[in-house]
Amino acid sequence: MGAKESRIGFLSYEEALRRVTDVELKRLKDAFKRTCGLSYYMGQHCFIREVLGDGVPPKVAEVIYCSFGGTSKGLHFNNLIVGLVLLTRGRDEEKAKYIFSLFASESGSYVIREEMERMLHVVDGKVPDTLRKCFSEGEKVNYEKFRNWLLLNKDAFTFSRWLLSGGVYVTLTDDSDTPTFYQTLAGVTHLEESDIIDLEKRYWLLKAQSRTGRFDLETFGPLVSPPIRPSLSEGLFNAFDENRDNHIDFKEISCGLSACCRGPLAERQKFCFKVFDVDRDGVLSRVELRDMVVALLEVWKDNRTDDIPELHTDLSDIVEGILNVHDTTKMGHLTLEDYQIWSVKNVLANEFLNLLFQVCHIVLGLRPATPEEEGQIIRTLETDQSYSTSC
């Protein structure tokens, strides 16, 4: 994917407008005006920050900007609309043409294997093994052969995953969303509309790393672990995956982050309870309690140097002590209410809440609600970096 300019000539502005509602077009025009003022052009830095998000790899961001028609002067609003419609509502055939144009020769009629491999090395750092099938009959391929290979290998490289495997999440809502999508989601969470808009960009970037195109456990685990212990990664994933379909959608991550970081203490405790309720039966069994205590002690040792009694107490005694005092049903388990009462003043539970707070902001992209929260996160980062340096 070279740094050349490659306009999306096969999709006209008029056709793009037919795929956008009047309300959506007005929202996009208003956002463009707020961002660019009276200018009809959006600069590259602004495009990356406001449309793609700052986390997009620079090489990939440059490719998208140039391919949309961006120049040193900027990106015209009409070209932005065409590009956004291609990304969010383009047909696979159109997206295949777009990807072909990024790799194609100057004439635009074929792709040279050596050139494509060089570009993939620059952007992805590697060449997919499946590429040899694309060039099985020679060192050049035309569009038809490239398309046939690409549509059978949508996960071949980062760009194809974003476009063809459901990984694109930008600010143009799809047909299933209402014009008040962000306001509606803000209304059922403790998040502001601006928080949700920022989160959507971050969610796209995280999901784009998925091999399957879904924000599943395979993708989620390495993102949060470390600092989350591997033993807790699946439980944390399940706490977000409210409908239990084995992937986290955007609404689930928004609601989960709200509950974990912005809600009242009882709501935050309920989120933690879900992390430890492995079988999702609504109670913490003796086995789940034991695993919880082991995990919480590991979290403490990872993050604190304070000496607490639990560090010198037999594991079984800790579990039985919790049950003796807080098991109101006397059935050998803790209900959600029991857990909430136990965790209010428990230092291990509170330290776990602090860890989740850091992960939700630093890894999953929640914006700090106050300057004090931002300072707390920065101090934690500085402490972690100092520790890493000393080690």
Side-chain angles (χ1 to χ4, degrees):
M1 285 181 266
K4 62 180 182 178
E5 178 182 345
S6 179
R7 296 177 185 272
I8 308 167
F10 51 83
L11 182 63
S12 68
Y13 177 65
E14 290 72 21
E15 171 59 28
L17 288 184
R18 283 194 278 271
R19 305 185 197 181
V20 180
T21 67
D22 292 342
V23 173
E24 288 170 339
L25 183 61
K26 182 180 184 303
R27 181 172 67 81
L28 288 167
K29 284 183 175 178
D30 290 344
F32 193 90
K33 185 176 179 180
R34 287 196 305 270
T35 304
C36 305
L38 298 177
S39 170
Y40 287 98
Y41 292 88
M42 174 182 284
Q44 180 173 323
H45 179 72
C46 182
F47 172 78
I48 293 172
R49 184 185 71 244
E50 299 296 336
V51 179
L52 299 181
D54 291 324
V56 177
K59 292 290 183 182
V60 174
E62 290 173 13
V63 167
I64 298 175
Y65 178 77
C66 290
S67 67
F68 279 15
T71 65
S72 58
K73 183 178 180 180
L75 177 66
H76 194 277
F77 176 76
N78 290 11
N79 290 340
L80 174 64
I81 293 296
V82 173
L84 286 178
V85 166
L86 173 70
L87 292 182
T88 59
R89 295 174 187 172
R91 306 177 184 94
D92 278 359
E93 179 74 23
E94 292 168 332
K95 293 179 179 180
K97 287 181 180 178
Y98 174 51
I99 295 175
F100 178 81
S101 73
L102 300 177
F103 292 108
S105 61
E106 292 298 329
S107 67
S109 58
Y110 55 84
V111 171
I112 301 174
R113 178 173 184 166
E114 183 179 356
E115 281 294 300
M116 185 170 179
E117 289 182 348
R118 182 184 63 79
M119 296 173 190
L120 287 174
H121 268 302
V122 171
V123 177
D124 274 13
K126 61 180 181 180
V127 175
D129 294 336
T130 57
L131 189 63
R132 65 178 183 274
K133 297 180 181 178
C134 181
F135 294 92
S136 59
E137 297 179 7
E139 294 300 302
K140 297 180 181 180
V141 292
N142 59 20
Y143 169 67
E144 183 179 357
K145 291 181 179 179
F146 182 88
R147 178 201 60 199
N148 293 340
W149 168 79
L150 182 65
L151 296 182
L152 290 174
N153 297 274
K154 295 180 179 180
D155 295 331
F157 47 93
T158 301
F159 215 74
S160 62
R161 281 197 300 275
W162 285 356
L163 291 179
L164 299 171
S165 296
V168 174
Y169 279 78
V170 293
T171 54
L172 179 62
T173 58
D174 63 32
D175 293 331
S176 64
D177 291 328
T178 67
T180 57
F181 171 73
Y182 301 112
Q183 293 93 329
T184 301
L185 197 50
V188 297
T189 66
H190 303 285
L191 304 177
E192 301 293 333
E193 183 182 349
S194 57
D195 295 325
I196 295 168
I197 291 172
D198 287 343
L199 276 176
E200 187 180 35
K201 296 174 185 176
R202 181 65 174 173
Y203 176 78
W204 168 41
L205 295 174
L206 297 177
K207 187 178 176 182
Q209 300 177 38
S210 171
R211 183 179 58 85
T212 63
R214 291 155 58 93
F215 197 11
D216 49 20
L217 180 59
E218 179 185 339
T219 305
F220 180 84
L223 290 172
V224 301
S225 178
I228 298 293
R229 288 273 180 162
S231 59
L232 289 173
S233 295
E234 185 171 357
L236 182 57
F237 176 85
N238 290 337
F240 280 105
D241 183 20
E242 191 68 31
N243 64 0
R244 307 182 186 184
D245 61 355
N246 298 318
H247 76 102
I248 303 172
D249 61 36
F250 179 60
K251 291 182 181 178
E252 285 174 331
I253 202 167
S254 297
C255 292
L257 290 172
S258 169
C260 184
C261 296
R262 295 284 180 83
L265 180 58
E267 194 171 339
R268 299 180 68 194
Q269 292 169 326
K270 182 178 180 180
F271 184 87
C272 292
F273 179 87
K274 292 179 181 179
V275 175
F276 303 124
D277 184 16
V278 177
D279 59 8
R280 300 181 176 185
D281 65 350
V283 297
L284 298 184
S285 66
R286 186 176 264 99
V287 171
E288 288 172 332
L289 277 175
R290 182 183 178 88
D291 292 341
M292 177 192 77
V293 172
V294 169
L296 291 181
L297 287 171
E298 290 175 340
V299 169
W300 184 272
K301 293 173 185 176
D302 287 343
N303 296 279
R304 301 289 291 268
T305 58
D306 315 41
D307 191 23
I308 56 175
E310 287 87 345
L311 295 174
H312 310 287
T313 306
D314 183 78
L315 184 59
S316 298
D317 291 341
I318 296 176
V319 173
E320 294 306 317
I322 294 173
L323 288 171
N324 288 338
V325 176
H326 297 284
D327 177 14
T328 57
T329 65
K330 303 304 177 186
M331 296 180 64
H333 60 225
L334 291 191
T335 64
L336 171 60
E337 293 75 16
D338 295 337
Y339 172 85
Q340 288 173 321
I341 294 172
W342 167 76
S343 64
V344 167
K345 296 183 179 180
N346 186 271
V347 293
L348 294 176
N350 286 324
E351 184 60 29
F352 183 58
L353 267 179
N354 292 336
L355 177 61
L356 289 183
F357 180 86
Q358 302 298 330
V359 169
C360 288
H361 286 81
I362 298 171
V363 179
L364 300 181
L366 181 62
R367 184 173 59 183
T370 64
E372 289 75 19
E373 283 190 358
E374 186 174 9
Q376 178 185 343
I377 294 168
I378 292 173
R379 287 192 295 273
T380 300
L381 283 172
E382 290 174 344
T383 301
D384 291 345
Q385 289 170 353
S386 298
Y387 177 78
S388 300
T389 302
S390 64
C391 291

